[in-house]
Amino acid sequence: MTPSFKGKVAVVTGASRGIGLGIARELVERGAKVCVTARGEEALAEVVRELGGPDHAIAVAGKSDDPAHQEETVSRTLEAFGRFDLLVNNTGINPSYGPVLDTDPAVAAKIMAVNVLAPLAWTRRAHAAWMGEHGGAVVNVASVAGIRSSAGIGMYGVSKAALIRLTMELAADLGPDIRVNAVAPAVVKTKFAEALYEGREEKVSRAYPLKRLGLPEDVAGAVAFLLSEDAAWITGQTLVVDGGVTLGGGL
């Protein structure tokens, strides 16, 4: 049977499109109520409509690494739904392409702030607001770029490697009542990843044993599993969701 999240409340960051939207949709379909975040108010309003309206979802617009946005999101989630059981740290940025040595220090700092320090801050707030007393589960969306070298997106890979390690440390700190895991997708067909496959999808897909790129629902299913009671004895782990591409050394 598909695990149910009836009676559970989740916050999913970076959920106006792509993987984040896919995760939010999956959780709502399984019975959860969801707060979605992203920067664009109009896009979020459309997401709330798609997810069934305010009985099922609310949205808070803002920047993921902004403490005021984090505080508002947690407050409005508790106000709307009365609890906060599940957290998905999905927001990620990659504003730099090229060798790590050529990355502007300010850009590198921003990547680390959004991709690593923001998930830490969100988890801290979830713990303080609800999970520390009532328990819960956290999933961080990392990347296969965090487990191997990735030409051109090296600084992004560094941040995702740090997020994977952060997942382990938080799992050790927050057990037994809060589980913390991660997923590491390969290339998923989203706007965020378009530069990695646009105009050459068939060629890129050949490196994958499953002969296709990922879809948001591929990652959403894995995230839902890790959040569910089916994963009750799993914490500190990173589940690679990659169509098999890392078996052959490709990305």
Side-chain angles (χ1 to χ4, degrees):
M1 295 180 63
T2 301
S4 171
F5 293 106
K6 187 175 182 179
K8 302 291 186 181
V9 174
V11 171
V12 183
T13 70
S16 63
R17 65 189 187 193
I19 290 174
L21 174 55
I23 292 168
R25 185 185 297 118
E26 183 80 16
L27 295 179
V28 169
E29 288 176 354
R30 297 191 188 199
K33 297 183 186 299
V34 175
C35 176
V36 292
T37 81
R39 288 178 294 178
E41 289 189 17
E42 291 185 8
L44 285 175
E46 178 57 35
V47 168
V48 170
R49 285 191 290 270
E50 178 182 335
L51 296 178
D55 288 341
H56 301 279
I58 63 170
V60 183
K63 296 180 179 179
S64 183
D65 60 335
D66 177 7
H69 168 63
Q70 297 163 6
E71 182 177 355
E72 180 187 6
T73 299
V74 173
S75 176
R76 288 183 55 184
T77 299
L78 292 173
E79 180 181 344
F81 300 130
R83 56 192 300 145
F84 181 1
D85 308 280
L86 312 169
L87 171 64
V88 181
N89 288 308
N90 172 68
T91 301
I93 62 168
N94 183 34
S96 174
Y97 187 86
V100 172
L101 285 178
D102 293 344
T103 305
D104 181 272
V107 172
K110 184 64 175 179
I111 292 172
M112 297 300 288
V114 174
N115 295 2
V116 184
L117 298 181
L120 173 59
W122 282 102
T123 304
R124 183 184 293 115
R125 290 181 183 277
H127 177 269
W130 180 267
M131 293 186 190
E133 182 176 353
H134 303 280
V138 178
V139 172
N140 297 319
V141 179
S143 168
V144 294
I147 62 175
R148 58 182 308 133
S149 62
S150 303
I153 56 172
M155 197 64 220
Y156 174 78
V158 169
S159 73
K160 292 302 186 177
L163 183 59
I164 289 169
R165 181 53 184 260
L166 177 64
T167 298
M168 298 167 65
E169 298 297 339
L170 288 172
D173 286 349
L174 298 179
D177 297 321
I178 302 173
R179 297 183 301 103
V180 186
N181 291 290
V183 292
V187 178
V188 177
K189 292 178 65 175
T190 64
K191 185 174 181 61
F192 180 80
E194 274 181 349
L196 299 176
Y197 68 88
E198 191 173 26
R200 54 195 182 96
E201 182 178 341
E202 183 177 349
K203 179 180 179 181
V204 174
S205 298
R206 291 193 201 114
Y208 289 69
L210 296 185
K211 302 306 178 189
R212 68 173 177 86
L213 303 183
L215 300 172
E217 49 263 41
D218 294 317
V219 182
V223 171
F225 164 69
L226 289 173
L227 291 172
S228 77
E229 288 303 308
D230 282 356
W233 208 44
I234 301 174
T235 197
Q237 303 304 306
T238 296
L239 176 59
V240 175
V241 186
D242 72 342
V245 70
T246 55
L247 297 173
L251 178 52

